[in-house]
Amino acid sequence: MSSSLQLLVCRSDFHHGRLLLLSSRRSALLRWLSSGHRISRSLQESYRLLQLPADGPHTPTQVRDAYLRLAKLYHPDSGEPTADAGLFARVEEAYRAVLTHQSTVRQRDGAAEEDEEDKTRGVAPQHRHYLSYEGVGSGTPSQRERQYRQIRVDRATEQVLSYRQREHERAAAAEGALAERDTRQRSRKIKITQAVERLVEDLIQESMARGDFQNLSGVGKPLNKFEHNPYADPMTHNLNRILMDNGYQPPWVVTQRDIREGAARIRSRLLEGRARLGDPMTPEERNRWERLCGSVQEELGKLNKMVDDYNLVVPMLSMQMVHFSLAREAERAQRGAEQRRAELMEVRAAERERRKEEKKKANSGAKTQTVKRGLVSWMQRLLRF
């Protein structure tokens, strides 16, 4: 009997507390609706710009979604045909005004709810405080909501930190696997190289045991490889000699050879082109010469790049080169063409002189033959008489 009475009392308390909460929420809603008609015209215009009804409660999420939807349409950088900087500024101002109004309404309603909760705190059952927010926090529902939000933020931060830690551990494990694989590959190459060297050494020893090297020239004689420089290191000298015998050249030597060949090719091209032109040049010949110099300028740029690379690797400072200049090369081609013309004129003059001498010799020989023939005929006529 006593248990049934207690159950009836609890139920009555529960329904009484529920009725009080409903009445408090209804009063808060009525206060909000009544205050909604008293908002200013500018605030009503802000609601109209955001396309939100001014006579109803709105959550911050709804207001933000409305602002983002309009921002995608009117933002100057959106790329949409409806983009308008002035309208977007108005929408942004309306968004801030609506947020301020909503926060003010929520604060006023929260204060009213706290007053109602203070009135009904002794009536409502105590266990109803912990039916929401996972039973976290203490105080009024608004305070517990703020505490629950902070707890969720801390929980998300911990999850992010743990995720980053797992990613770093996974990356470190992957780097360790790559380093281990590279180490295995290097050790394998070293083993192969050592095996090949041992095989070559064994083959050399077998050939020496069979006497395959006895027929070489100079066998059994001392090496006289350092007579020109007795202070040279024998190992370095032998290594250099082996490289030279096998046609190896240092990179700076190869680059120097390429530079010289390129310079000779460019100079020959300029000389041949200038020698074909007259002195002085006609307007047409001058245009041809300028086109030739323009094409040579590109080749000289590549050649100067090779000179820079050569100067970086050449072992001696005195062996470095300077850049090639188109003006110097053109002047050199001009002098070469003039010298070639002078040599050609000398050759032609010598050829003319040779032809004159040959002609004189031919004329003198013809006269001598004529005199001889006349003398012979005279003597024949004399003998007849």
Side-chain angles (χ1 to χ4, degrees), residues 213-214 216-225:
F213 299 144
Q214 296 298 326
L216 298 177
S217 60
V219 66
K221 297 179 181 179
L223 296 175
N224 296 323
K225 297 292 183 179

Side-chain angles (χ1 to χ4, degrees), residues 118-179:
D118 291 339
K119 293 179 182 179
T120 59
R121 183 175 300 172
V123 179
Q126 297 298 321
H127 63 276
R128 291 183 56 83
H129 293 283
Y130 301 97
L131 295 180
S132 59
Y133 307 125
E134 299 180 5
V136 176
S138 61
T140 62
S142 58
Q143 293 175 352
R144 293 183 59 228
E145 182 181 1
R146 289 193 292 270
Q147 296 172 9
Y148 181 65
R149 287 179 181 176
Q150 184 62 36
I151 289 173
R152 290 186 60 185
V153 169
D154 297 339
R155 189 183 303 167
T157 305
E158 291 178 359
Q159 291 178 357
V160 169
L161 292 176
S162 61
Y163 173 77
R164 289 181 178 177
Q165 184 177 0
R166 289 196 301 271
E167 289 296 324
H168 286 310
E169 292 176 355
R170 188 179 297 109
E175 291 179 359
L178 291 175

Side-chain angles (χ1 to χ4, degrees), residues 82-100:
T82 58
D84 188 352
L87 187 56
F88 173 73
R90 292 176 57 193
V91 168
E92 187 175 6
E93 185 178 357
Y95 170 65
R96 294 177 180 175
V98 170
L99 282 183
T100 304

